[in-house]
């Protein structure tokens, strides 16, 4: 009997192992079929964007806010030459973060700290503003702490004087989230505030010992500095009575010094556009020259990384170009393989339908930019799963005043989107099933809010992602037209190992699959259709919808 039991256990174990190998074989097969499409996407991206080739084992997907925070603190504690942090703001209660920066600067006399933040968000009135909590660092290390505050030029004239703090951020912010120390970088959508370190779901991708990528991120921030205000303690600042500092000002304990006396802060558009396009072109040319010289590593265990800048007000729209490119290639692939739209075949004729690509997309502030909506609606050959924040998981839920209506406003925008989805499904459905390729769910977890954003593209529903978009963009009108964003597209080559091996690329793909799975653990069916939206909220959305 004991021998029989052992035999059954062994047979079950073998069956499970066989099943895992079979699933991995199926995933590998789908990935290899998809590889020509991925090759075409990356080949065209390479013509327009800077490109980095990075070992897959130098990339790690962090999964929890606490892991992001502890990793960032440990990076700072080991800093040798430079710390460069870009965020919307630093939270008023981040004493441990400030103390950790202070201690490391005291320990390393050659260490420099560079901060690039949003001016409007960082100077909200009050004793605990971001600007105020940074003053001790500036006073202790005046020659080694460099704080730049970017202010969008969109808000100008009389409006700049009458729009109150907090609401002035609606005209544009500095939104890039880059956290670098020496040659290590974390790219995220999270800000440097307590909830982002504890109970606000986001994405965090860490790159270790990647000098070229780190230099790119550092140089990108330096490129913005001439269009920003420099933050200084007021006691260390004297503003002469001449035109040199006519755009600078002293605000209580701190001073805001405008960096370019030759250019009005409201008229930086042309210079900013030229700087960003030149910066991207220079970095793209740099890689091309290195590639010709045979210097970059193009190992099969390397992934390809493309930085994407979106700054609509400065006429830099690389994210939009990426989406057009991506769906263009997916459409070509569907035409070659003939993937009919979901619901277009009668019952019992599904066997001719090949495996479809799966796109997972998410945004904590889901109101897809209209050109993106059209791409999703007009490409039914791609399965799409969208995760949005439920009203309770929206960071503005329960806020006093008009901002408390923001979650309701997103419900209204989701309702409009889903009506468009259903209309499109009916149009594509030859046999009238009305089945859509787009599924919208909502994320909700007790005591948590939701801020994750980006997309993952998989060859099929049973395979792991081979491409992901991550960074600061929320994929909405605000990100496209108003804020300044930096995101990255990462493409993974097919695994060259056997189905039973664990090579670094396959491990990274599995990390991305787990990232999606962790998010979807707290997903529920979308309930927006059953929620009532008040007429005043609809009016507000009509007036300021692009600022959401």
């Amino acid at each position: 009997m004991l021998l029989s039991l052992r035999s059954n256990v062994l047979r079950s174990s073998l069956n499970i192992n066989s099943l895992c190998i079979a699933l991995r074989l199926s995933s590998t097969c789908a990935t290899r079929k998809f590889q020509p499409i991925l090759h075409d996407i990356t080949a065209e991206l390479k013509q327009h964007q800077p490109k980095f080739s990075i070992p897959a084992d130098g990339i790690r997907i962090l999964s929890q806010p606490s892991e992001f925070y502890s990793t960032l603190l440990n990076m700072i504690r080991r800093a040798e030459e430079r710390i460069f942090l870009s965020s919307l703001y630093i939270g008023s209660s981040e004493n441990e973060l400030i103390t950790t920066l202070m201690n490391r600067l005291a320990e390393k006399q050659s260490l420099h700290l560079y901060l690039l933040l949003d001016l409007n968000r960082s100077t909200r009135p009050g004793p605990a503003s971001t600007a105020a909590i940074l003053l001790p660092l500036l006073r202790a290390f005046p020659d080694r702490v460099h704080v730049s505050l970017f202010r969008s030029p969109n808000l100008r004239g009389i409006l700049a004087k009458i729009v109150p703090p907090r609401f002035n951020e609606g005209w544009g912010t500095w939104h890039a989230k880059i956290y670098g120390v020496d040659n290590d970088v974390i790219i995220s959508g999270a800000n440097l505030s307590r909830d982002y370190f504890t109970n606000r779901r986001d994405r965090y991708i860490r790159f270790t010992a990647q000098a070229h990528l780190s230099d790119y991120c550092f140089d990108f921030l330096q490129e913005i500095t001439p269009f920003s205000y420099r933050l200084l303690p007021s006691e260390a600042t004297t503003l002469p009575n001449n035109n040199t500092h006519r755009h600078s000002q002293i605000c209580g304990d701190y001073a805001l010094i405008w960096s370019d006396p030759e250019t009005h802060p409201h008229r930086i558009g042309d210079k900013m556009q030229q700087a960003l396009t030149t910066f991207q072109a220079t970095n793209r040319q740099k890689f091309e020259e290195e590639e010709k010289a045979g210097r970059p590593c193009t190992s099969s265990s390397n992934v390809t990384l493309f930085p994407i800048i979106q700054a609509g007000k400065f006429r830099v729209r690389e994210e939009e170009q990426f989406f057009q490119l991506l769906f263009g290639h997916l459409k070509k692939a569907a035409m070659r393989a003939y993937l009919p739209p979901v619901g277009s075949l009668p019952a019992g004729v599904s066997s001719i339908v090949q495996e479809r690509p799966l796109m997972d997309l998410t945004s904590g502030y889901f109101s897809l930019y209209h050109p993106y909506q059209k791409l999703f609606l007009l490409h039914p050959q791609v399965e799409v799963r969208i995760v949005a924040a439920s009203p309770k998981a929206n960071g503005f839920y329960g806020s006093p005043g008009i901002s408390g209506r923001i979650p309701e406003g997103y419900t209204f925008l989701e309702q409009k989107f889903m009506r468009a989805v259903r209309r499109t499904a009916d149009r594509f459905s030859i046999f009238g099933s009305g089945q859509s390729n787009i599924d919208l769910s909502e994320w909700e977890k007790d005591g948590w809010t939701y801020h994750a954003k980006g997309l993952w593209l998989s060859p099929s529903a049973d395979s792991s992602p081979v491409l992901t978009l991550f960074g600061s963009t929320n994929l909405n009108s605000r990100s496209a037209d108003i804020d300044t964003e930096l995101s990255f597209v990462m493409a993974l080559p097919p695994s060259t190992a056997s189905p039973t091996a664990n090579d670094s690329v396959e491990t990274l793909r599995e990390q991305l699959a787990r990232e999606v799975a962790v998010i979807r653990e707290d997903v529920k069916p979308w309930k927006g259709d059953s929620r009532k939206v008040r007429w005043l909220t609809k009016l507000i959305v009509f007036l300021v919808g692009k600022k959401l």
Side-chain angles (χ1 to χ4, degrees):
M1 183 176 179
L2 183 58
L3 287 173
S4 175
L5 179 60
R6 286 178 177 173
S7 176
N8 289 337
V9 170
L10 180 59
R11 188 159 43 252
S12 298
S13 177
L14 288 171
N15 288 339
I16 292 171
N17 289 336
S18 298
L19 177 61
C20 290
I21 292 172
L23 288 172
R24 192 158 176 181
L25 273 168
S26 174
S27 174
T28 302
C29 181
T31 302
R32 287 178 177 165
K33 287 180 181 178
F34 195 77
Q35 185 57 25
I37 307 170
L38 190 64
H39 175 271
D40 291 345
I41 292 169
T42 55
E44 188 171 349
L45 269 175
K46 179 183 167 183
Q47 298 175 20
H48 304 285
Q49 305 300 136
K51 171 186 170 185
F52 299 96
S53 183
I54 296 179
D57 58 8
I59 305 171
R60 183 176 162 220
I61 314 296
L62 310 181
S63 61
Q64 297 296 330
S66 58
E67 186 181 15
F68 163 57
Y69 183 50
S70 62
T71 300
L72 177 61
L73 291 182
N74 287 333
M75 287 168 60
I76 293 170
R77 292 180 182 120
R78 295 193 299 268
E80 296 289 334
E81 297 178 359
R82 63 186 182 187
I83 301 170
F84 51 100
L85 308 176
S86 169
S87 188
L88 182 64
Y89 69 104
I90 298 177
S92 59
S93 61
E94 296 317 306
N95 298 323
E96 183 181 19
L97 176 61
I98 299 298
T99 300
T100 303
L101 290 167
M102 183 84 73
N103 291 343
R104 192 54 181 171
L105 285 162
E107 293 166 358
K108 283 287 176 180
Q109 297 302 312
S110 60
L111 178 64
H112 282 249
L113 169 64
Y114 303 86
L115 292 167
L116 180 57
L117 308 165
D118 182 72
L119 186 145
N120 286 331
R121 185 61 182 267
S122 298
T123 58
R124 284 184 180 179
S129 68
T130 299
I133 66 174
L134 290 175
L135 290 177
L137 280 168
L138 288 162
R139 290 176 177 133
F141 310 99
D143 299 324
R144 294 192 287 127
V145 174
H146 319 272
V147 182
S148 298
L149 301 179
F150 180 84
R151 181 184 181 278
S152 172
N154 299 337
L155 186 61
R156 61 181 71 182
I158 188 66
L159 280 177
K161 299 181 183 299
I162 64 173
V163 174
R166 191 178 189 185
F167 292 98
N168 56 14
E169 297 161 32
W171 276 258
T173 64
W174 174 256
H175 204 239
K177 318 296 170 60
I178 305 166
Y179 306 115
V181 174
D182 297 327
N183 291 329
D184 294 355
V185 182
I186 296 175
I187 304 297
S188 181
N191 292 301
L192 298 175
S193 185
R194 182 53 41 190
D195 50 348
Y196 290 93
F197 301 151
T198 53
N199 61 345
R200 190 155 169 78
R201 171 68 65 201
D202 216 306
R203 299 181 69 192
Y204 335 86
I205 301 186
R206 181 185 180 183
F207 299 85
T208 303
Q210 302 303 319
H212 291 303
L213 175 62
S214 180
D215 287 344
Y216 171 89
C217 292
F218 177 78
D219 292 344
F220 173 67
L221 302 185
Q222 293 298 100
E223 202 70 31
I224 306 301
T225 299
F227 307 103
S228 306
Y229 290 84
R230 186 180 178 191
L231 178 69
L232 293 173
S234 57
E235 69 270 14
T237 307
T238 301
L239 299 182
N241 189 20
N242 56 40
N243 285 335
T244 304
H245 291 288
R246 65 185 182 277
H247 303 306
S248 302
Q249 54 186 303
I250 294 178
C251 310
D253 291 339
Y254 61 84
L256 299 173
I257 308 301
W258 178 242
S259 302
D260 182 2
E262 302 300 320
T263 305
H264 193 285
H266 295 165
R267 300 187 181 94
I268 63 173
D270 290 341
K271 282 190 174 182
M272 182 85 161
Q273 188 263 349
Q274 182 63 40
L276 291 175
T277 53
T278 301
F279 175 74
Q280 289 292 76
T282 300
N283 278 278
R284 184 176 67 250
Q285 183 179 6
K286 185 188 303 182
F287 181 86
E288 289 173 354
E289 292 171 353
E290 291 178 348
E291 191 174 47
K292 289 177 182 177
R295 279 195 290 272
C297 176
T298 54
S299 165
S300 60
S301 62
N302 279 23
V303 305
T304 307
L305 198 68
F306 299 95
I308 305 286
I309 298 173
Q310 181 75 9
K313 284 298 181 183
F314 304 116
R315 304 186 301 283
V316 178
R317 296 182 172 274
E318 295 178 352
E319 181 185 295
E320 290 178 57
Q321 294 164 12
F322 162 70
F323 270 93
Q324 293 285 349
L325 180 156
L326 176 64
F327 277 93
H329 284 287
L330 290 175
K331 182 177 182 178
K332 289 178 185 177
M335 291 174 67
R336 288 197 299 264
Y338 178 55
L339 298 180
V342 173
S344 66
L345 295 173
V349 194
S350 60
S351 58
I352 69 169
V353 181
Q354 300 182 28
E355 290 181 313
R356 303 170 184 277
L358 170 66
M359 184 177 293
D360 283 289
L361 181 140
T362 191
S363 174
Y365 300 112
F366 179 73
S367 71
L368 263 185
Y369 183 42
H370 188 67
Y372 300 169
Q373 285 192 34
K374 291 177 65 177
L375 290 171
F376 279 88
L377 294 173
L378 296 177
H379 290 79
Q381 295 85 2
V382 181
E383 297 279 1
V384 180
R385 299 189 303 184
I386 299 174
V387 175
S390 77
K392 289 184 178 180
N394 187 295
F396 291 94
Y397 183 76
S399 293
I402 195 171
S403 62
R405 289 182 180 259
I406 289 178
E408 189 177 316
Y410 280 106
T411 292
F412 180 53
L413 292 169
E414 290 164 9
Q415 290 174 349
K416 291 176 66 177
F417 173 70
M418 289 308 295
R419 283 197 294 270
V421 167
R422 291 169 189 138
R423 286 195 302 268
T424 304
D426 289 339
R427 189 168 78 236
F428 277 112
S429 181
I430 301 171
F431 294 93
S433 70
Q435 184 180 357
S436 172
N437 64 310
I438 298 176
D439 173 70
L440 175 62
S441 303
E442 56 186 42
W443 190 96
E444 186 174 319
K445 184 177 181 178
D446 287 345
W448 284 62
T449 55
Y450 190 72
H451 199 249
K453 68 266 299 189
L455 70 80
W456 301 257
L457 180 64
S458 304
S460 69
D462 297 324
S463 56
S464 300
V466 295
L467 182 145
T468 184
L469 170 72
F470 58 96
S472 63
T473 178
N474 281 306
L475 304 171
N476 53 20
S477 295
R478 182 185 176 105
S479 287
D481 290 332
I482 299 176
D483 292 340
T484 303
E485 311 278 8
L486 177 68
S487 301
F488 290 83
V489 173
M490 183 165 66
L492 288 72
S495 173
T496 57
S498 68
T500 56
N502 282 317
D503 68 299
S504 57
V505 172
E506 186 64 27
T507 299
L508 181 56
R509 289 185 61 210
E510 290 171 356
Q511 286 187 61
L512 289 170
R514 282 198 298 272
E515 186 182 33
V516 176
V518 167
I519 288 173
R520 295 192 65 84
E521 281 177 359
D522 298 294
V523 158
K524 301 175 181 178
W526 180 67
K527 300 176 183 176
D529 275 340
S530 63
R531 296 185 178 114
K532 183 180 179 181
V533 179
R534 292 166 286 183
W535 69 267
L536 181 57
T537 300
K538 294 179 182 180
L539 177 62
I540 293 169
V541 171
F542 174 77
L543 295 173
V544 301
K546 289 189 176 182
K547 291 180 171 60
L548 289 177

